[in-house]
Amino acid sequence: MLNSLTAQPKDKILMLMQMFRDDPREDKIDLGVGVYRNADGVTPIMQAVKTAEQQLWQSETSKSYTGLAGDPDFHDVMIRLALGDSAQRGRLAAAATPGGTGAIRQALELVRMASPDATVWVSSPTWPNHLSILRYLGLNHTEYRYFDDAARAVDFDAMTRDLSQAKAGDIVLLHGCCHNPTGANLNISQWQEIARILQKTGAIPFVDIAYQGFGDGLEQDALGLRHLAAQLPQMLIAASCSKNFGIYRERAGILIALADTPANAALAQESLAFLNRQNYSFPPDHGARLVTMILQDPALRASWQSELEAMRTGMLSLREQLASQLQSLSGSDRFAFLASHRGMFSRLGASPEQVEALRRDRGIYLVGDSRMNIAGLNARTVPILTRAIIDCGI
Ligand code: LMR
């Protein structure tokens, strides 16, 4: 049986991670996988997480199962974090999932269960694993134009023209903030326009929010999705705690479904629990419990928020340093977009050959489409990258 397996398509981000690990050069620079790093190149455990873990170790008396959809307190705090008070609690269903990717997978399984013929619209470009999961599940999908390569900004006219073609019941996958891989985001009036288009077409938004707090701030980053929730009858949200709580390996995420009526929310709740049961039964709880403790405790929450804010402003400062050093060295403004993008990623605009040259000759790792993780930089490596970009003729 096993000998009839064929080789699976490789995930380019994970492949790059392995190449970086295997590279013996000591001065190599990892700007590949989307993991936050501080100035020492370390992915730190946040202080609030450490404290919550200590408290949990002392207070936890059982590791028996939680609910099939996870702990209701986790639902409540995460719904509040993502949606504020933009949607009535009675119209919401939620299930804890293994990370944000688990939420995406369960959301798309829910789509396949409820409307197998729907088309899922994804931005061009998008996170490669969106496409991989869609293909794996056999769902119809198509791309809408999103990023203007020349302007290095959102091509909003093209985006709205494409999305106006969506049919009632189609699913439109949107990045809540910090678009991956481009770093180019919608402003609030553009979100309002997207809401109008969705209202008109009857297509249903599915918002993937994996970087809340990494862009313009915790509240700011959720404004777009909150606007959609306030305006539209139905919506799906996949939220991740990996990045903003720094608990990557704990696999904490949530799938939230907004239904038009409380009765349909109850149906969705049942289906989410059913899907969890089919795929892995009970979701992991450790990370979700830490998040719940942090968000429920004012002192832990304040500590978490200030550390998150320091991470965010640190990334912004790296963006500004890189843009300004590139401006000085190139004598042009063509890299100014780096300072206006938000989140961990920007696409540099290098060709695959230039990306390859950066890796081969300088030990600088970017994803092949020239996506770079800003958080992989620090004050010492910004000038090194700047020099390499200019020397490679980018
Ligand atoms: C990324 O885009 O690099 C992250 O979301 C990590 C991953 O799993 O791909």
Side-chain angles (χ1 to χ4, degrees):
M1 183 272 289
L2 297 179
N3 59 351
S4 63
L5 290 171
T6 53
Q8 300 302 326
K10 297 270 187 288
D11 183 295
K12 61 183 182 182
I13 298 171
L14 302 187
M15 246 164 62
L16 196 74
M17 230 170 136
Q18 192 54 48
M19 281 166 82
F20 182 81
R21 283 189 184 141
D22 295 343
D23 187 335
R25 285 175 283 188
E26 283 198 351
D27 56 353
K28 60 189 177 179
I29 299 174
D30 182 7
L31 307 181
V33 68
V35 171
Y36 174 82
R37 287 197 204 84
N38 64 19
D40 302 321
V42 174
T43 303
I45 302 177
M46 296 172 92
Q47 189 51 54
V49 169
K50 271 286 183 207
T51 309
E53 277 185 320
Q54 246 159 9
Q55 290 179 0
L56 187 60
W57 184 79
Q58 274 163 351
S59 63
E60 194 172 47
T61 52
S62 171
K63 287 204 184 278
S64 177
Y65 293 122
T66 55
L68 203 43
D71 178 1
D73 283 351
F74 177 62
H75 302 170
D76 289 344
V77 292
M78 286 301 291
I79 284 172
R80 184 92 213 147
L81 187 69
L83 284 161
D85 52 14
S86 60
Q88 295 160 318
R89 187 65 180 88
R91 283 175 53 210
L92 294 167
T97 54
T101 307
I104 292 164
R105 170 66 188 263
Q106 298 297 73
L108 294 175
E109 293 236 21
L110 193 77
V111 169
R112 189 171 64 168
M113 185 187 245
S115 48
D117 297 326
T119 293
V120 180
W121 294 71
V122 295
S123 64
S124 171
T126 193
W127 184 48
N129 210 24
H130 284 153
L131 293 164
S132 181
I133 296 173
L134 282 163
R135 278 195 286 266
Y136 181 67
L137 291 177
L139 279 163
N140 302 326
H141 55 280
T142 189
E143 292 185 330
Y144 59 87
R145 284 170 291 170
Y146 183 79
F147 189 62
D148 178 340
D149 263 316
R152 313 224 67 70
V154 176
D155 187 348
F156 194 63
D157 277 352
M159 177 182 185
T160 50
R161 253 181 285 137
D162 288 351
L163 289 184
S164 302
Q165 311 300 314
K167 304 218 167 15
D170 280 356
I171 306 294
V172 175
L173 178 44
L174 298 149
H175 297 224
C177 63
C178 308
H179 185 266
N180 180 3
T182 69
N185 297 298
L186 301 178
N187 61 35
I188 192 64
S189 63
Q190 291 171 327
W191 279 103
Q192 286 162 352
E193 180 59 21
I194 296 295
R196 280 190 285 273
I197 292 172
L198 292 167
Q199 245 152 3
K200 214 158 128 195
T201 57
I204 299 161
F206 169 22
V207 177
D208 178 2
I209 181 152
Y211 299 92
Q212 187 179 354
F214 271 28
D216 290 305
L218 269 179
E219 296 296 306
Q220 281 293 114
D221 289 349
L223 287 183
L225 86 83
R226 288 178 188 178
H227 180 75
L228 297 188
Q231 299 295 316
L232 296 163
Q234 298 185 77
M235 177 170 175
L236 296 173
I237 299 164
S240 170
C241 307
S242 299
K243 330 272 164 156
N244 52 8
F245 287 86
I247 51 172
Y248 304 82
R249 65 178 66 167
E250 302 297 353
R251 311 312 295 140
I254 190 164
L255 169 56
I256 302 168
L258 172 67
D260 53 350
T261 63
N264 287 338
L267 260 178
Q269 188 60 55
E270 223 181 275
S271 300
L272 294 185
F274 173 82
L275 280 173
N276 268 9
R277 182 68 170 160
Q278 305 321 302
N279 282 329
Y280 38 76
S281 201
F282 296 85
D285 182 65
H286 184 72
R289 194 154 298 270
L290 299 175
V291 168
T292 308
M293 290 170 73
I294 292 168
L295 293 179
Q296 282 180 339
D297 179 301
L300 287 180
R301 190 185 175 113
S303 155
W304 167 68
Q305 262 183 241
S306 80
E307 203 171 337
L308 176 62
E309 189 59 9
M311 288 157 78
R312 184 182 80 79
T313 50
M315 285 186 279
L316 269 183
S317 152
L318 287 165
R319 285 185 173 282
E320 277 153 18
Q321 289 170 46
L322 184 61
S324 107
Q325 294 186 25
L326 279 164
Q327 209 271 345
S328 310
L329 217 60
S330 69
S332 92
D333 283 334
R334 67 179 191 279
F335 295 104
F337 68 89
L338 290 168
S340 61
H341 285 176
R342 287 293 179 270
M344 288 178 117
F345 307 119
S346 271
R347 257 189 179 180
L348 195 53
S351 67
E353 295 72 29
Q354 288 166 328
V355 170
E356 165 71 12
L358 283 174
R359 189 178 58 73
R360 188 189 56 229
D361 304 338
R362 313 275 171 145
I364 298 174
Y365 282 70
L366 266 63
V367 181
D369 61 1
S370 82
R371 185 194 84 169
M372 61 177 177
N373 172 15
I374 298 290
L377 289 167
N378 57 41
R380 184 185 63 80
T381 53
V382 167
I384 299 174
L385 175 64
T386 305
R387 182 81 258 164
I389 289 173
I390 302 301
D391 288 353
C392 289
I394 297 165

